[in-house]
Amino acid sequence: MTDSKTVSAFIDQCKLNIFHYRIFFIGGSGYFFDAMDVASISFILPVLKTQWHLSNVQLGAIGSATFVGYIIGALSAGTFADRYGRKNIMIVGLILYCLSAFFCALSGSFYQMLAARCFGGLGIGTESVIIAPFLTEFVPQKYRGRFAGGMSGFISLGFVAAAIVGYLTVPVSPSGWRIFFGICGLPLLLIPFWKAVLEESPVWLASRGRLPEAAQVLSRIYRKTINSTEIISDTKQLSLPHWGEFFRTQHSAMLATSGLSFFLMFGYYAFFTWLPQLLVMSGESVSSGIYASILPFAAQIPGYFGAAWLIDRLGALRVAAFFLVCSVLTALALSINPSVNMIKYSSILLALFVNGVMASAYAFIPFVYPARFRAMGTGMTASLGRTGAILAPILIGWIYNYGGSSGAFGLIATELCIAVILVLTILPQVKNY
């Protein structure tokens, strides 16, 4: 036993292999389809406004509904994953999300759509909150930043795919938006592949005292025999985690990460949920508004992957601070001059910078928490953060009635300033990572 290593230490001494690349693309595909579904509503709202005669506040409610379900899914998924394992919870989330997309396609009224989007959020929250804390536990520490940041980069690809699919389907016919939702449900076909490739986290298995199973997983990953005597648990506490212990020991980390997540998600979804509709309300046609949104959505790609490349070189907090400051300056410029051309072109920069912050957050937030509370803490952070995503579309719809596009971008700039303060002052005091 003197030569035994913790599972994390064992993984840190190993190299990446084909298994890691497979789970990288599985995690990326999960983020991709989650993002495509979330972004889909941005391109459908302008059509629903006309077909169902909805107000701006009702449009905002539909845009926020996903995140109501997300909070429930993220909270329950984090708890169940820390208690019962990560793999099956992630797959259940994918199933729920796909079914909800089909329900959205069949919706015939405002309230049916509202319920379907809430149900979809339950699946998205269940799945997406598990991806980073689950899959990064298989990866050596020196690669975790770029691994997590790279996986989250698929979110940007999902938004771009949503823009392209939306442009090709929504304006084509009155039922084009239903086809769009149907396409969002197709990842249901990925479930057999996910089940075949994914392994349960050996870090989690060891934390539950199931060292023989953890050794078997490591043996399959690295294709060599690893005995249970060669590894030990990362933690000596083998009792099931519970909320009382979590709040007592992790309250500082939770407040810091949840605060950042709230303001970041507010700015992110205030911008991306309303971008096509802001262009339409500024005088563009529905087709032109969707088409003009493709470049800003595409700008997420260099934002995510550029940040992922920088994270392991400069540190996640430094990268987050840089991209946040750039986001604030761009939003301020848009609030001063919210012309159609300014929105079209400056929103490209805003999309790039905001998504650079997102990649940084996905990289470091799970590891603010110890393995025992990693899924629970990430789920709590994501849930509290998504309250910002709930409020953002509604508040933007309300503030537009009084301040127009200038007021909308001014609100985004203001709340991102608060995120800058958190990154520069409070988060560096959290020592776990």
Side-chain angles (χ1 to χ4, degrees), residues 153-362:
F154 281 78
I155 295 174
S156 61
L157 299 178
F159 271 80
V160 174
I164 294 172
V165 174
Y167 179 70
L168 294 176
T169 59
V170 175
V172 172
S173 74
S175 298
W177 62 271
R178 298 184 186 275
I179 297 173
F180 193 174
F181 275 132
I183 292 172
C184 288
L186 293 180
L188 199 63
L189 301 174
L190 291 175
I191 290 172
F193 175 71
W194 280 27
K195 292 187 69 173
V197 173
L198 289 173
E199 297 277 1
E200 185 54 85
S201 166
V203 175
W204 178 82
L205 289 169
S207 75
R208 300 270 65 79
R210 295 158 62 177
L211 291 174
E213 293 175 67
Q216 291 173 6
V217 170
L218 292 172
S219 297
R220 288 193 293 270
I221 292 173
Y222 297 106
R223 299 180 182 179
K224 61 180 180 181
T225 302
I226 299 168
N227 296 317
S228 60
T229 55
E230 298 178 50
I231 55 175
I232 58 176
S233 172
D234 288 56
T235 174
K236 295 180 180 179
Q237 298 176 334
L238 299 180
S239 60
L240 291 174
H242 56 84
W243 285 109
E245 183 186 0
F246 172 80
F247 287 121
R248 186 174 64 253
T249 62
Q250 305 298 314
H251 57 275
S252 296
M254 182 192 69
L255 291 173
T257 56
S258 298
L260 174 63
S261 183
F262 175 89
F263 291 108
L264 183 55
M265 292 299 165
F266 188 103
Y268 188 89
Y269 288 104
F271 175 62
F272 283 107
T273 301
W274 275 95
L275 179 59
Q277 182 63 14
L278 285 176
L279 288 167
V280 170
M281 290 189 294
S282 297
E284 297 289 295
S285 66
V286 172
S287 179
S288 297
I290 294 176
Y291 181 75
S293 301
I294 292 177
L295 278 180
F297 277 58
Q300 296 183 78
I301 298 174
Y304 266 107
F305 289 103
W309 184 82
L310 290 171
I311 285 167
D312 288 329
R313 292 162 176 80
L314 301 178
L317 283 179
R318 290 189 182 93
V319 175
F322 170 76
F323 280 103
L324 264 174
V325 170
C326 293
S327 300
V328 171
L329 295 175
T330 308
L332 281 174
L334 280 163
S335 69
I336 295 170
N337 179 20
S339 64
V340 172
N341 285 335
M342 186 70 169
I343 294 175
K344 283 182 179 179
Y345 300 115
S346 293
S347 61
I348 296 172
L349 289 176
L350 185 57
L352 186 151
F353 295 139
V354 169
N355 283 277
V357 189
M358 294 289 288
S360 305
Y362 277 108

Side-chain angles (χ1 to χ4, degrees), residues 79-137:
T79 304
F80 290 138
D82 279 336
R83 283 175 173 263
Y84 306 115
R86 292 27 171 159
K87 175 181 174 180
N88 289 333
I89 301 299
M90 183 172 157
I91 292 174
V92 166
L94 178 66
I95 295 172
L96 294 176
Y97 144 69
C98 292
L99 292 176
S100 75
F102 296 131
F103 293 155
C104 286
L106 298 173
S107 295
S109 69
F110 166 72
Y111 291 105
Q112 288 178 6
M113 180 64 72
L114 208 63
R117 295 302 291 173
C118 283
F119 183 65
L122 179 67
I124 292 173
T126 300
E127 178 204 353
S128 65
V129 78
I130 297 300
I131 292 175
F134 172 29
L135 299 184
T136 51
E137 287 183 340

